[in-house]
Amino acid sequence: AKEAGRRCIRFYDKDADIARSNREAVRKALQRIIETKEFTLYYQPKVSMKTGLVTGCEALLRLNHSERQQSVAHVDIVEEAERTGLIVALGREIMRRAFLDVSQVMEHLPDDFRFSVNVSPQQLTSEGFIAELLSCSEDNDVPLQSLDIEITESSQMINTDSTYKVRNWLKNAGVTVSLDDFGTGFASLEYLLTYGFDQIKIDRQFTQVLPGDDDAKAIFNVVKYLADKLDMAVIAEGVETLDQETYLLNQGFELAQGYFYAKPLTIEDFMRFVASRQAK
Ligand code: C2E
Ligand code: CA
Ligand code: CA
Ligand code: CA
């Protein structure tokens, strides 16, 4: 046991070293990205499984060459930003870029199209969030009614006055709010019932074990029941196979996102995908 214990400690030290040097690189990259705005947004289509048409997309952060060269991953950047509060500054740049990208292709998008941007609870309740949204919309001539905000379940979201104040403002402005990664986080039933989400995104860990897994099927059933009662839309994340799509369609689900349709794409490739689906 002593042997094992000692070996354990040695492994630990080594890991800690790696984590430290990585974190330094991540921290530097994060600072630089916010300062220089050198990052890219990729767009993953959301489709109607019934019609095959593209109904929207999700904007996802991708790093430019210099950061990737230093083996910094975008998920590490987001995590470090969340941890340090810099997600507010980074998220603001991401929101602005998404509006800019969409403004350049708006005329080729369907009228009821919505683009989704991931917003951290910290950013949602940060000072100036609403003013910034208004200015993104005005500067780029893209209506707020085209925006959807994806929020991950989080303990920080529960029952604060400011989250509900922002929520009401968004509703009035026509911005929809989706609960991201449903089934993995902190959302209590009470929160789900009272916050007034427009849409629930079921996490891909459940989608990916369909149609064989009873627990996953139960999650989908419960969400469908709740969503119908509360007038919320449901979207399945991470659809990768025809079997999964077929199961979901048979159960009465309509919206999906996942590699089965497309990976996250550059805005140019995304527009090609939209066009190819419209032509069908
Ligand atoms: P998320 O918001 O749940 O985003 C969905 C993730 O699932 C994306 O990973 C997407 O590429 C991946 N995905 C989509 N379909 C499939 C599929 O069929 N199979 C598999 N295996 N994966 C699929 P990505 O882009 O690596 O993002 C990871 C996470 O990082 C996001 O999870 C989100 O929490 C965070 N993130 C990414 N971009 C942003 C951003 O701009 N702002 C914020 N706040 N967070 C972001
Ligand atoms: Ca998301
Ligand atoms: Ca998600
Ligand atoms: Ca996720």
Side-chain angles (χ1 to χ4, degrees):
K2 233 181 233 166
E3 263 309 295
R6 212 183 283 150
R7 212 179 294 139
C8 223
I9 287 165
R10 224 177 281 142
F11 271 119
Y12 230 91
D13 284 342
K14 218 171 142 199
D15 281 354
D17 275 347
I18 292 165
R20 256 199 305 277
S21 58
N22 258 341
R23 174 156 295 166
E24 203 42 48
V26 170
R27 227 191 312 247
K28 278 195 186 135
L30 174 58
Q31 293 283 2
R32 194 168 44 235
I33 286 165
I34 293 170
E35 233 164 73
T36 64
K37 307 182 184 22
E38 281 180 26
F39 64 87
T40 305
L41 293 181
Y42 272 44
Y43 295 88
Q44 187 175 33
K46 300 185 181 191
V47 303
S48 160
M49 295 185 281
K50 283 186 191 152
T51 65
L53 296 175
V54 178
T55 62
C57 64
E58 177 178 7
L60 292 158
L61 177 67
R62 291 296 179 269
L63 305 183
N64 288 359
H65 188 62
S66 53
E67 263 69 44
R68 284 207 312 272
Q69 236 172 11
Q70 295 168 53
S71 18
V72 172
H74 65 273
V75 283
D76 295 332
I77 294 283
V78 171
E79 196 184 86
E80 178 72 7
E82 293 267 6
R83 219 178 48 78
T84 56
L86 285 171
I87 193 70
V88 176
L90 178 62
R92 182 173 297 187
E93 296 306 332
I94 289 171
M95 183 64 77
R96 193 155 273 283
R97 180 73 62 80
F99 270 92
L100 179 65
D101 286 348
V102 169
S103 76
Q104 284 162 356
V105 298
M106 268 282 278
E107 54 179 318
H108 304 292
L109 293 169
D111 285 343
D112 53 356
F113 182 92
R114 275 190 195 265
F115 65 103
S116 299
V117 178
N118 290 288
V119 171
S120 126
Q122 291 186 65
Q123 185 189 355
L124 193 76
T125 54
S126 66
E127 175 126 13
F129 176 71
I130 288 171
E132 179 62 18
L133 267 191
L134 278 169
S135 128
C136 281
S137 170
E138 276 159 26
D139 295 351
N140 295 289
D141 203 16
V142 172
L144 285 171
Q145 290 94 312
S146 304
L147 176 67
D148 173 68
I149 285 177
E150 293 190 9
I151 311 174
T152 303
E153 306 174 49
S154 157
S155 54
Q156 297 166 42
M157 283 291 293
I158 295 165
N159 286 336
T160 69
D161 279 356
S162 59
T163 50
Y164 285 98
K165 233 162 69 194
V166 175
R167 174 71 191 113
N168 285 332
W169 188 88
L170 293 173
K171 209 186 256 306
N172 287 327
V175 178
T176 56
V177 181
S178 298
L179 178 56
D180 204 356
D181 298 340
F182 182 80
T184 65
F186 294 87
S188 67
L189 196 55
E190 187 204 2
Y191 169 55
L192 183 65
L193 298 176
T194 55
Y195 190 74
F197 289 100
D198 298 285
Q199 176 171 257
I200 299 181
K201 293 192 83 175
I202 304 183
D203 192 75
R204 70 164 181 264
Q205 80 177 69
F206 303 107
T207 310
Q208 294 190 334
V209 293
L210 293 177
D213 187 280
D214 288 341
D215 291 342
K217 289 195 317 211
I219 294 268
F220 273 91
N221 285 340
V222 167
V223 170
K224 178 117 186 42
Y225 177 83
L226 278 176
D228 288 347
K229 288 259 178 236
L230 300 172
D231 200 24
M232 291 183 289
V234 182
I235 182 164
E237 283 194 328
V239 174
E240 291 186 352
T241 68
L242 180 59
D243 270 4
Q244 289 159 5
E245 183 188 78
T246 304
Y247 176 81
L248 290 168
L249 268 173
N250 285 336
Q251 294 296 309
F253 293 93
E254 167 153 27
L255 299 172
Q257 178 181 347
Y259 294 174
F260 183 57
Y261 312 99
K263 293 198 168 177
L265 305 166
T266 63
I267 188 77
E268 293 83 10
D269 285 342
F270 173 71
M271 292 311 295
R272 276 181 212 110
F273 183 83
V274 170
S276 75
R277 288 273 164 156
Q278 268 166 345
K280 257 184 24 173

